[in-house]
Structure formats: structure tokens, C-alpha cells
Amino acid sequence: MATSTKHEHSALRLKNDGNALFAECKFREAVACYTEGLLLTEGGEGEDLDLRAVLLSNRSGAYYEMGDYEKSSEDGRACCALLMEIEGKKFATAHEAGDAIVPPTLPPLHWKNLWRIARSLHFSGSSNPGEIHFVLNFLESESEEGNAFSAKASEMRGHLMYYQNIINNDDGATPGAKFEPSPIRASLQDPYYEYYNFGHDVSTSLLVHPKIDAQSIHLKDLTDDELSSLAVLFGGVGDGRHVFATLLDAHYQYTSLPSHQQEKFNIHITMNDISAQLLAKDILVFVLAHEMGRLASDCNQAMKESEPFFLGVVIMYMTLGHAMPSAVYAKMVERIKFFFTESSHNDFLKRFPWMQLSKHTWEGITHRMKAWIDPKGYYSPELPSVKRKLDSLRPSDNSTEGLMGDLAMMGAGGGVISDMQSRLDRAKEENKRVKLEMIEKIKGGEISPALADVAKRQLGEDAPEQDVRDFLSETLSNIPDDDLVTPPALGEIYVSNYDKLFYEMTKALAICASSPAEELNEDLALLVDKPILNKTATKAISQYKPKLLKSWVTNPVQIDPLHFNFMKGRIDQDETNHLSDWPAMFLNADTTKFFISPPVNQSNCQDHDKIRDANSLCKNVIRYYWNVGKVISNLSGKISIEIALGSIISLGTNSDDRNDLPTKYHRISLSNIPDYTGMLSVFCTIAPLLAPRSESITPSLRSNCLLNTGIWKSYDDYIFSTVSLSYQEAEDIFRLRVADEEANVFNTFTTWERRDTDGKDLAMTHQKLRLWIHSLYLSIILPPDRCPDSMLREERASTVDLFLLTLSACVRDLGIPSHVVSSAIEEILSNDTLISKATLSNDSPASISSRDNMTKKKYNISAFKSELSNQVAIFLQNKLLGFQLLDTSVLPCASSSRYSLKLREISPKYDLHWGNKFGGRSSSVSLGFMLSIPGGKKKFDISSGASDGNTNPMMSFLMAGMDGMADMKTRSSKLRKALLGSGSFVGHVFSCMQWDLSTQTASFVMCDDMFNKYRNYSFTLIRTDGWFQIPHGEARLGDAIHIG
């Protein structure tokens, strides 16, 4: 008896300890206490049974709060069974004692657990609805004292019927339009994407961490399973430089593996981009490089034999040149026809089994290639002449005055400009010091080979040493102190003097003066074989230039027909200099160390004449792509390269397109994507593509924040901008962590990796989770005013769809309990006013603030509820919602349809006047639409104080070390204030839509009963950066056409 009492006291203490932990939201630890108490009460009688029932109930509650609904319902059932057993024993005891017979009464704890069982089954997405209805029947039929859940059970049954009706019709099919979420707001210039011909960063292998070697992937350290399933993903692949570096690295490591590991090795590379033009260029480069590697056993053979040499020349001109010799263009067209446009998708895959691409991607890239073959049929107006295109190549203005002017045009305020001016003044003084030191060294006879080449290009090969010294000293003296004096760049090593002279005189790229391809020699007949003296080369090029302008062909690969037609043939100034930029980006030491045949330089050759003779842009492009092609040949059967056209957000969701290709990756690299979309879309749609952690690999995602880096003071502010969390809080929610030494907003790339979270509770309490959900929702529906004319500004591209995708991912993939998310959403849906401690940011750029000691505020959200209820219903219809709702009373009941609405009187032209008047950055992802009460007269046009638009880019490194751009141009928005003040009386705002400027058509998915409810409402396009209506002809929602 004493032992039983001792156990009872210990179990009671454990129950109390568990309750204290439960109150602190330490549910996992609470479960441990309750479990230990249950072990002590096992087999007990009397009061032990009562305590055991309480422990089971409490553990059921803890499991419920953890989101482990299966274990919660198991403990709930056990508790109910035990309580019935206890009541049965009490009844039997009373009967034996001859007491008055009273039917057993089940205690409140019994009904409480039944109600929790019903909710657990619902939130778990139980495939056995019969059990839920059985529990609800019991709750409804037994209206005993203490059963306060009968009414709730009846309400829940109605909501379950909603689920059954809206998700499945009679034949079990999903009703409504085929739906793909729109996580990112539309742009006014969709579908005319910005098109980049050349990247902005040095090529790096995705297997290598630039600073922390322990986080690099070393093939020799991998297990057999890891070796056989390595997968990497590049999003926003651009010109493919990082893909090439990764391939070269993989081959370099592969050659050092023992034979048994080589047998296991396989790597899959996915190259994704939204631009068909870029992917068409990349896949053509891969095919031509593969042919080079197949035809030439070594690099010297590729330089000496006609076909591989010619293919390398084609790659050089199509990727770097703005114009190309007619023979090169003819060769490119011949290869395109043979491999692509006159081949079938299936034939291509058979010919190149290491390539993978869907039918959709094949059609997209071959359509672009047809434009390259027949420009007149696809470019309107016609492609520019060679002269006009080459004339657009101009050097950038690197002066301090030019930079300050650019900053002002981009919208930077006075404080930013003053800070930048101070930094540049300091740099100017440092440049002056370095320049004087270099002049002194030159006068003393210390002249680098690269500087000697610069002088001899101007003075001739036989120029006396003293003339060389005088020339260099005078040249350096004349360089303004604004210009940075640096050691000789790779462009001084890997391109020839002849390359530079030809480029200076023609703005075009030169081929080696003599070539093994006869067709090229015919094109170069007027050029000397080996230009020795400057005068001789100058004369030859001058004689050749008229032929160049007449017979060369404008390179269509560098001109996206969609963008060109959209711009009505306008050509922007191009400041890229491939003679310096390509070697610096592609031939850096971290990449060339992986080469089978490395470039010739001082590290592997001491003979300066051999170095100079071996290097020209043409030769090094051939050398580079021969290495790439040879690696592909050597890794035959070991590599798979997938080309994927479309949004990275939808990657892997269409199994019909991707067959058995990987859907999880060990490395992901995103280029510029967070610039335009923010990190929220990365965390909830792309990070889930990371593979689970394995023995030797911690999967990681590398993202950059290039263009707008300088506007935030800290990485916390940058993450908070779209995620509404600090980056440390984001680590906890999204189960990732910054893998770099520190999170720095001025890093070009930041690496995030999987966290080991097994056995750990969420760092956030449920109360804080709900607060975050409220904050996130407010930040998405009501982004702050931002000047639409400023190039430097934060983008707020998130939509309600992304909000729901984020919460679904949190429940489905990250372990956040469904009922917590559900209650927060129901709170938003059920009230026109949200009362919360959540903060709404009214300033831009975002600045994170502490949520501690915040008071509750009231937010009128009635203008935005219709869209949320519409999108929740559509997500439910399409089985995309990752959590269950208990209250469906405010959701539309009908199935959904896709609609399109063609608007009138929006100029299809993109010109500066139109762009400035209605928002200079028409490429901004900020579109939505508003449905206004019929007869409403009030218009919310763009402020008359809008500044002129600007198109000048800004590199992030210019902003490094500054205090952010808190004084950027902003404006006060009447529309935003009106919506916050009067809500739905102003209108109903929607963020999820697609827009096509070419047809001036908006398209969207809407539940049919909501469409009918608002069919007479006015439809107006709005932009949520400056919060204004875009002028167009009058339209009603009912004018939209049902398209599916």
C-alpha cells in the first residue's frame, strides 16, 4: 500500500511538472513527464486510475499542441475508455452495496477528449471520415450535464459537409478550373522579361563553399548512396557559367576517385530559367561543346582541325559577339537545323542521352531558334544593322560625377549620396597613392609583362625600353584619380593585343588571323596573317571594316525577339566589354584549376612569348568549351543535364513532364530571384526542394540579393522585408540556418542549409506563431508605399497565394501544428477588423522592430477578405491547402472558373513618357486589381509628385558599408489610406492574377458564386508600389470571359 501511495505522489508530481512545462509551450518535455507518470500508475486501482486518466488526457493535449494528431487521438481514446471503465466500476460498486441505482454519468473530461479526438482526426486529414462522424454523433446525442460540445459538434459536421461538397463532386473528380497558384504579383510588362546576355559574377562550382571547406562536397568522402544520387539545381541560370564550373569540378574530382567509387558516381544538374532565349543559347552551347570534345581528343587538335575549331568560333560569337561573320552565322544555322529545328524531340534525346528536357521546354527553345534562323519572320521591326548594333556599345561613365548622377536618378536621397561621395573621395586618395607608386616602379624598370604588352601595342614590338617607360609613366599620370588603378586583369593575359585593337576599331570580336577552317579564312582575306606592328595591323583592320559592316550578320542570339518587339526595336546602350569581362568571369583560378587543358599563363609557362602566342580571346573560348565538351564525353553515363523552362517555383510539381527526374537537390543556386521576389518565396517554395541531410552532405541553398542590397541596414531588415521575421526567427520557422560565417546583406551570395531539428520543439510559442501569421498577412496585402520611379527600392511581390503556400509548407514540411495555422486564418476570415499585436510597416525600406510589449491595434481588413476566402476555397478544391479549417462558414461554396478580361485604352507601347506617367518601372512586380462598388466615382491616380523614371542599374558593391537608404523617395498614397480607413466601401483588392501586355488582358481564377456576387462591380488595375489605379477604359467584372 505504501509503495502505491509513493508511486501516486510521484505520478502527481510528474503531472504537475508536465503541466508547468505545457504552460511554457515545452510540449515535448511535458509529454516526457506525463509518460513517466503513466508508467508509475500502470496497473493501479482507485485514485491511481483517476490520475492515470488525467495523465492520458494531458498527454493527448500535449501531442495535440505539437501537431502529432495521431498520438493525441490514441491517448484520447485510451482516456475515454478508462473513464468509462471507472464509471462502470463505480456503478457496479453502488449496485453491490444496495445503494440507489443511478445511471453512470460521464465526467467533463470524457467529452473534452472526445472533442479533441474529433479535431485531431480532422486536422490529421484522416482518410476515415466515418470515425469522425461517429464521434460527432456521440457528442451530439449525449446532452448530459458537462457536455458543452454538442453545439460545436453540430457546427463541425456542417464544415465537414462543406469539405465533402467542395472538394469532390459525384464522380470523385476535383471541381473547378485547373489551378496553378500565383505566388508572385504580375508585372505591367509581362510577359516581356528582362533579358541579360551576360552575368555579373565570377564562375564558381556549386560543389564548393567559397569560405568554409567543410561545407564543400568532396566526392571522395561520400557514401555509395550519396555518390550515386548527387543532384544540383541552378535557378536563373543565365549564361551557364556556374553550371560549367560545377561540371568541370565534378570531373576533376571524379578522376581522382578509386574505380569502385567511379562506378557509383552519378550527378544530375537541373538548369532552370524563365527565359527561353537564355536556355536555347545554353543548350546550343552544350551541344556544340560536346561535339568539340567528341571530335578532338585534345585541345591542340581542337585548335588545329577545322570542325572543332569552327564550332568553338560559333560559340564565341553567339555568346559574346553582337555581330558575327556570315560564315559563322551560316555554320550556326546549319547546326541548329541539324540538331534542333529539323529534328524531333525524341530524336534529340536519343542523340544526346545525357540531356533531359520536357516537350514544353523543347517547344520553347526550338521556337526561339527558329527566330535565329529566320529573323524576318520573328523580329518586328527587323533586327538592327550591324553598324547600328555595334554603335550601341559604349563605355560606362565611371566618374564620380556620373556615379552621383546615377544614384540620384535611381532615387537615392541626399544622405546616401553624401555617404557615397565621402567613400569615393577616400578611394580617390588611395588611387592617387597607388598610381604614384606604380609610376616610380616603372621609372625604375619594374614593368610587368602585361603592362609591357600595353605599351608595345601602341609603340610596336621593337620599341626601346626607355620609350616604353616614358609611355607608361605618361599614360598613368593622365589617368584621373577617380579611376581605380588595379594590377593587370585576366583580360590583359588571356586576350591578345590584336583582339584589343580590333575591338577598339570595330566594336566587334576578332578571330585568330589564320584559321584551320577555310570558310573563315575567306572572310578574313583582307587581314594580315600575324600583325606585328601597330601601323600594319591598323591598316589591315581599316581595310576590313567596310566589309565587316556590309557582310557580317547581327547576332540574333543576343536579342530576345519578345523583348525586342516589345521595345519596338529600341536598342539600349551596352557597356559590357567581353575582352576584359569574359576572362575575368570564366577563366578565374578557381575554375581553371579543374581544366583538363588549362590556359597558358605565368603559373605553367615561363616563356612570355609562348604565353602571348597561346592567348587570344578566340583561342581561350575554344579551349574553355573544349574542356567542357570533353568533360561531358568523359562522364558519359555519369551525368544528366536537365533544361527546364518556366518558373522555378513550379519545378517538380508536374510529374508528367519530369518523369523519374530528381525532385530533391543537394545544392541549389538562385541568381537574382530573391532580388525580385524576396526570400519568402525562396523559403516556402524552393527550400523544400532540398534533400534531407545525409551522412556526408548537408544540403544547402545559395541565394543572392544583388540589385537592391544597399537599401537595407542589416540582413535582418532584408529578410524581414518579405518574411516578417528576423533571419534568426526565419531559421527557426523554416528549419534552415545561415551557413556562412555571418549573415551579411552586402554578401553577393548567402548560403542557407538544412538544420538538424529532430527532437526539438518550435522556438516560437503558438501565440507568437499566430502573431507572425497576422504580420505576414498584413505585409502581403498592404505593402508600404514605394516610389515606382526609383530603381533602388524594395520589391514586395508576394501574393495571397504565397501566403497560403507558406502556411501550407509550414504545416506539411516544417511541423507547425495545423490547428494553430487554422485558428489564425479563421480569425482573419471571420472579422472585418483584425485586432492584433502585429505591426504593419508603413515605411520603406523595411526596418525590423521588436514585438515585445506591443499593444494591440485594430486593422480594417474588409477590403482584402474576399480574396483570401476565394483563394482558400480554390486551394481546397485543388487539394493544395496543407492544413484543415474548422470554420468554413465564410468560404465560397461554388466551384471555380478561370476568367480573362481584355481591357481597353492601355497603351501597348513601352516608352519613357507612358512609363513615367503611370509608374516608371513598369517591369515592377506589383500588379493587382480592385473591384469597386457600382457607381463609385472616386479615383486614386498616381501622385502628381512622381519623379521621372530611370533605367540605370546599380551594383550592390557600390553600396557596401553604407547605413542603408532610409531617405529614399517615398510618397503618401491616398488609396492605401482609404482602404485601411474605409475598407470594402472603397473596393475589394485582389493580388492573384496574370497580365499580358501584348493583349492587354488580365486573367484570374475565381469561385463562381463570388464572381456572380461582384459581377457588376467596376474592375480596375492597381499597382501596390505607389498604390494607384492604372488608367484604362471602363470595365466591369462581368465583362470577363469564362475560359475554363
Side-chain angles (χ1 to χ4, degrees):
M1 190 71 177
T3 302
S4 175
T5 303
K6 181 179 179 181
H7 283 174
E8 182 180 334
H9 288 165
S10 297
L12 182 61
R13 177 180 54 78
L14 288 166
K15 184 205 76 168
N16 292 334
D17 290 346
N19 291 349
L21 290 166
F22 187 101
E24 296 176 14
C25 297
K26 297 178 180 179
F27 304 117
R28 197 176 300 272
E29 294 175 46
V31 164
C33 286
Y34 298 141
T35 300
E36 189 175 349
L38 286 166
L39 290 173
L40 293 176
T41 59
E42 191 170 2
E45 295 290 339
E47 293 183 0
D48 269 1
L49 287 180
D50 292 330
L51 178 57
R52 183 173 180 81
V54 171
L55 287 167
L56 282 169
S57 178
N58 289 3
R59 191 171 72 172
S60 171
Y63 278 132
Y64 181 85
E65 296 303 330
M66 290 169 58
D68 193 338
Y69 301 114
E70 184 176 346
K71 288 183 178 178
S72 176
S73 58
E74 285 179 4
D75 276 355
R77 292 187 195 96
C79 176
C80 289
L82 183 56
L83 288 171
M84 293 181 73
E85 179 186 339
I86 292 171
E87 291 302 314
K89 288 183 177 181
K90 289 180 180 178
F91 179 80
T93 301
H95 179 69
E96 290 175 2
D99 296 340
I101 298 177
V102 179
T105 302
L106 294 173
L109 189 63
H110 181 270
W111 305 111
K112 179 180 179 180
N113 275 274
L114 280 178
W115 176 236
R116 189 188 297 128
I117 291 169
R119 286 180 296 155
S120 293
L121 291 170
H122 177 61
F123 285 125
S124 68
S126 173
S127 58
N128 183 11
E131 184 176 7
I132 303 179
H133 285 287
F134 175 81
V135 174
L136 295 178
N137 284 339
F138 196 75
L139 283 167
E140 289 174 308
S141 62
E142 300 291 337
S143 55
E144 299 181 17
E145 183 181 353
N147 178 8
F149 302 103
S150 179
K152 292 182 178 180
S154 297
E155 288 179 9
M156 185 175 180
R157 188 186 302 282
H159 301 320
L160 292 178
M161 292 301 296
Y162 175 90
Y163 267 83
Q164 184 175 346
N165 293 334
I166 197 170
I167 295 178
N168 294 111
N169 58 19
D170 292 339
D171 59 5
T174 300
K178 182 179 180 182
F179 173 73
E180 290 185 5
S182 301
I184 304 303
R185 291 180 185 268
S187 162
L188 195 59
Q189 75 170 40
D190 280 350
Y192 307 108
Y193 313 115
E194 291 178 290
Y195 173 63
Y196 296 97
N197 291 312
F198 197 71
H200 49 73
D201 51 353
V202 173
S203 66
T204 55
S205 167
L206 197 50
L207 305 183
V208 174
H209 190 285
K211 295 181 180 179
I212 307 173
D213 185 62
Q215 294 175 2
S216 298
I217 293 180
H218 301 288
L219 300 186
K220 62 181 177 63
D221 297 330
L222 303 188
T223 66
D224 286 352
D225 287 342
E226 293 166 340
L227 266 178
S228 63
S229 60
L230 198 60
V232 296
L233 165 63
F234 294 87
V237 72
D239 57 22
R241 63 185 64 184
H242 303 302
V243 180
F244 302 140
T246 302
L247 264 177
L248 292 164
D249 181 9
H251 176 265
Y252 179 78
Q253 294 193 54
Y254 169 82
T255 56
S256 301
L257 295 176
S259 58
H260 73 276
Q261 283 192 299
Q262 288 186 347
E263 290 176 6
K264 295 291 184 181
F265 175 71
N266 276 287
I267 184 169
H268 177 88
I269 297 175
T270 298
M271 299 172 63
N272 168 263
D273 208 290
I274 61 172
S275 170
Q277 184 87 354
L278 284 173
L279 290 180
K281 177 170 67 173
D282 290 337
I283 195 171
L284 182 55
V285 167
F286 265 116
V287 166
L288 297 183
H290 176 257
E291 288 297 285
M292 290 173 65
R294 185 180 64 82
L295 294 170
S297 59
D298 58 53
C299 192
N300 288 333
Q301 186 181 2
M303 298 284 188
K304 295 176 181 177
E305 293 194 1
S306 173
E307 187 65 10
F309 180 91
F310 208 159
L311 294 176
V313 170
V314 170
I315 293 177
M316 180 182 77
Y317 277 107
M318 61 174 273
T319 58
L320 304 178
H322 293 273
M324 61 177 70
S326 55
V328 175
Y329 177 71
K331 186 70 172 179
M332 183 183 79
V333 168
E334 172 202 306
R335 295 290 85 190
I336 288 175
K337 287 181 177 179
F338 181 77
F339 290 124
F340 295 95
T341 59
E342 295 180 359
S343 176
S344 70
H345 179 219
N346 288 334
D347 287 343
F348 177 86
L349 295 178
K350 289 177 182 177
R351 182 177 284 123
F352 301 104
W354 47 274
M355 295 290 294
Q356 301 287 339
L357 64 162
S358 68
K359 187 72 172 176
H360 162 73
T361 298
W362 172 261
E363 291 171 352
I365 64 173
T366 52
H367 184 268
R368 281 300 195 280
M369 290 179 176
K370 289 174 183 175
W372 303 346
I373 294 171
D374 177 25
K376 290 184 178 180
Y378 292 84
Y379 291 86
S380 177
E382 291 185 5
L383 282 175
S385 66
V386 170
K387 182 178 186 306
R388 183 177 165 222
K389 183 59 183 173
L390 294 179
D391 283 346
S392 70
L393 306 179
R394 295 190 177 94
S396 59
D397 182 2
N398 291 321
S399 68
T400 301
E401 292 78 10
L403 179 57
M404 294 303 104
D406 285 348
L407 279 174
M409 289 179 67
M410 292 172 195
V416 172
I417 293 178
S418 175
D419 190 356
M420 178 63 82
Q421 183 68 60
S422 299
R423 293 175 64 242
L424 288 175
D425 286 343
R426 293 193 296 271
K428 184 176 178 179
E429 290 301 315
E430 178 63 14
N431 288 349
K432 184 177 181 179
R433 184 189 66 78
V434 172
K435 183 173 67 175
L436 291 175
E437 284 185 2
M438 291 181 69
I439 291 173
E440 288 301 313
K441 289 182 179 180
I442 288 169
K443 289 180 177 179
E446 295 183 44
I447 303 174
S448 70
L451 284 178
D453 274 352
V454 172
K456 290 178 180 180
R457 182 157 59 96
Q458 298 295 324
L459 305 176
E461 296 285 342
D462 299 327
E465 184 176 345
Q466 188 59 47
D467 289 355
V468 170
R469 292 183 192 177
D470 293 343
F471 169 79
L472 291 174
S473 298
E474 182 180 356
T475 301
L476 284 171
S477 298
N478 292 331
I479 294 177
D481 293 335
D482 301 65
D483 289 348
L484 183 64
V485 179
T486 60
L490 294 175
E492 296 291 345
I493 302 171
Y494 292 138
V495 299
S496 68
N497 292 336
Y498 180 63
D499 283 325
K500 299 167 188 173
L501 185 61
F502 193 90
Y503 187 79
E504 288 171 3
M505 295 182 65
T506 67
K507 304 286 187 66
L509 303 180
I511 309 176
C512 305
S514 61
S515 121
E518 293 182 6
E519 304 97 315
L520 293 177
N521 286 330
E522 292 174 8
D523 244 326
L524 303 171
L526 293 176
L527 296 178
V528 295
D529 182 35
K530 289 185 178 180
I532 304 283
L533 299 176
N534 189 49
K535 291 181 179 179
T536 305
T538 300
K539 182 178 179 181
I541 295 171
S542 296
Q543 290 177 339
Y544 183 75
K545 187 173 180 179
K547 179 179 179 180
L548 184 155
L549 295 176
K550 182 178 180 181
S551 67
W552 280 34
V553 178
T554 301
N555 181 11
V557 181
Q558 297 282 15
I559 303 175
D560 187 339
L562 269 182
H563 191 259
F564 180 78
N565 297 347
F566 169 59
M567 300 293 284
K568 298 298 179 183
R570 194 181 77 200
I571 302 174
D572 292 328
Q573 177 178 313
D574 192 330
E575 300 174 351
T576 307
N577 183 344
H578 292 304
L579 294 186
S580 58
D581 293 345
W582 186 84
M585 301 299 184
F586 282 72
L587 297 181
N588 60 86
D590 287 338
T591 299
T592 57
K593 69 182 180 183
F594 303 136
F595 278 24
I596 299 170
S597 175
V600 181
N601 55 39
Q602 292 95 329
S603 66
N604 53 35
C605 179
Q606 301 304 313
D607 188 332
H608 180 61
D609 290 333
K610 285 185 178 180
I611 294 174
R612 185 168 57 220
D613 184 60
N615 286 298
S616 67
L617 181 66
C618 180
K619 288 180 179 179
N620 278 309
V621 168
I622 292 172
R623 184 184 304 277
Y624 182 91
Y625 287 105
W626 175 86
N627 275 278
V628 171
K630 201 62 182 176
V631 161
I632 295 172
S633 295
N634 290 351
L635 292 177
S636 177
K638 299 291 181 183
I639 60 167
S640 172
I641 299 175
E642 176 191 6
I643 309 295
L645 174 62
S647 168
I648 192 172
I649 290 172
S650 62
L651 189 70
T653 59
N654 192 333
S655 58
D656 293 337
D657 257 4
R658 302 194 73 241
N659 298 319
D660 297 324
L661 298 176
T663 56
K664 298 292 182 181
Y665 296 89
H666 300 94
R667 289 288 185 269
I668 299 176
S669 177
L670 306 177
S671 178
N672 281 45
I673 292 171
D675 241 4
Y676 302 112
T677 68
M679 285 298 288
L680 180 63
S681 63
V682 173
F683 288 148
C684 79
T685 65
I686 301 174
L689 297 175
L690 286 172
R693 290 177 64 135
S694 58
E695 185 175 334
S696 308
I697 302 176
T698 300
S700 62
L701 179 152
R702 186 179 70 169
S703 72
N704 70 344
C705 45
L706 177 72
L707 180 63
N708 292 328
T709 301
I711 70 176
W712 288 285
K713 294 180 180 179
S714 69
Y715 199 69
D716 267 344
D717 290 344
Y718 168 64
I719 295 297
F720 181 79
S721 174
T722 56
V723 184
S724 296
L725 296 167
S726 69
Y727 87 84
Q728 290 94 343
E729 290 172 327
E731 288 184 341
D732 291 330
I733 292 290
F734 296 103
R735 309 299 176 96
L736 301 165
R737 75 175 189 88
V738 174
D740 302 308
E741 294 173 349
E742 63 174 334
N744 189 333
V745 75
F746 297 111
N747 287 342
T748 301
F749 283 96
T750 298
T751 302
W752 292 75
E753 68 179 22
R754 285 265 190 218
R755 279 180 56 187
D756 183 8
T757 58
D758 290 344
K760 297 179 182 177
D761 283 323
L762 286 169
M764 273 191 171
T765 64
H766 291 179
Q767 182 179 358
K768 288 186 176 180
L769 280 172
R770 280 189 285 269
L771 179 58
W772 168 61
I773 292 170
H774 292 164
S775 298
L776 182 63
Y777 179 66
L778 290 173
S779 74
I780 287 174
I781 62 171
L782 280 162
D785 294 322
R786 290 148 291 144
C787 178
D789 305 312
S790 176
M791 283 296 292
L792 288 176
R793 62 154 194 192
E794 61 178 330
E795 291 288 359
R796 292 293 191 97
S798 303
T799 66
V800 167
D801 277 358
L802 183 57
F803 175 65
L804 296 177
L805 286 170
T806 301
L807 299 186
S808 297
C810 285
V811 172
R812 183 182 57 248
D813 303 324
L814 304 172
I816 292 180
S818 178
H819 71 279
V820 176
V821 174
S822 174
S823 64
I825 293 293
E826 289 167 2
E827 186 176 359
I828 295 170
L829 285 170
S830 303
N831 300 283
D832 286 344
T833 301
L834 177 64
I835 302 174
S836 175
K837 290 184 178 181
T839 55
L840 176 63
S841 176
N842 295 311
D843 299 318
S844 179
S847 179
I848 192 169
S849 57
S850 173
R851 297 188 183 91
D852 296 337
N853 302 318
M854 295 294 292
T855 58
K856 288 187 176 182
K857 299 182 180 66
K858 294 181 179 181
Y859 300 101
N860 188 338
I861 58 172
S862 59
F864 307 94
K865 280 178 51 183
S866 290
E867 180 182 34
L868 181 59
S869 63
N870 184 69
Q871 300 309 115
V872 168
I874 295 171
F875 268 60
L876 284 171
Q877 291 172 15
N878 290 273
K879 299 181 175 63
L880 293 175
L881 201 65
F883 53 91
Q884 309 289 322
L885 293 175
L886 273 180
D887 183 0
T888 59
S889 59
V890 295
L891 298 182
C893 296
S895 60
S896 58
S897 300
R898 182 171 295 279
Y899 298 91
S900 71
L901 179 58
K902 185 175 177 61
L903 300 176
R904 298 177 291 108
E905 301 171 25
I906 290 185
S907 171
K909 295 196 304 181
Y910 179 82
D911 57 65
L912 289 178
H913 171 73
W914 183 81
N916 292 341
K917 185 175 180 182
F918 303 125
R921 295 196 66 196
S922 59
S923 62
S924 169
V925 276
S926 60
L927 276 193
F929 65 89
M930 185 168 71
L931 303 178
S932 305
I933 299 172
K937 300 295 184 183
K938 192 165 185 180
K939 299 293 183 184
F940 299 89
D941 297 329
I942 189 169
S943 167
S944 58
S947 64
D948 288 339
N950 57 84
T951 55
N952 292 328
M954 178 63 182
M955 290 298 177
S956 60
F957 69 83
L958 293 175
M959 312 304 298
M962 298 174 63
D963 290 332
M965 301 184 69
D967 57 349
M968 289 171 61
K969 298 176 185 176
T970 59
R971 72 156 60 84
S972 177
S973 162
K974 293 181 180 178
L975 175 57
R976 189 172 184 269
K977 287 182 178 178
L979 290 168
L980 272 170
S982 302
S984 58
F985 288 102
V986 176
H988 298 274
V989 177
F990 290 75
S991 62
C992 303
M993 59 168 282
Q994 289 80 45
W995 171 251
D996 188 338
L997 181 61
S998 61
T999 60
Q1000 301 180 40
T1001 300
S1003 58
F1004 49 89
V1005 177
M1006 188 174 285
C1007 291
D1008 296 338
D1009 48 356
M1010 182 170 289
F1011 182 87
N1012 291 326
K1013 178 180 179 180
Y1014 296 129
R1015 65 179 308 114
N1016 291 321
Y1017 278 49
S1018 297
F1019 181 104
T1020 312
L1021 284 182
I1022 63 171
R1023 280 180 60 168
T1024 57
D1025 46 6
W1027 281 99
F1028 59 90
Q1029 293 172 294
I1030 297 172
H1032 56 74
E1034 289 190 9
R1036 296 180 309 113
L1037 179 64
D1039 297 332
I1041 300 171
H1042 182 283
I1043 58 173

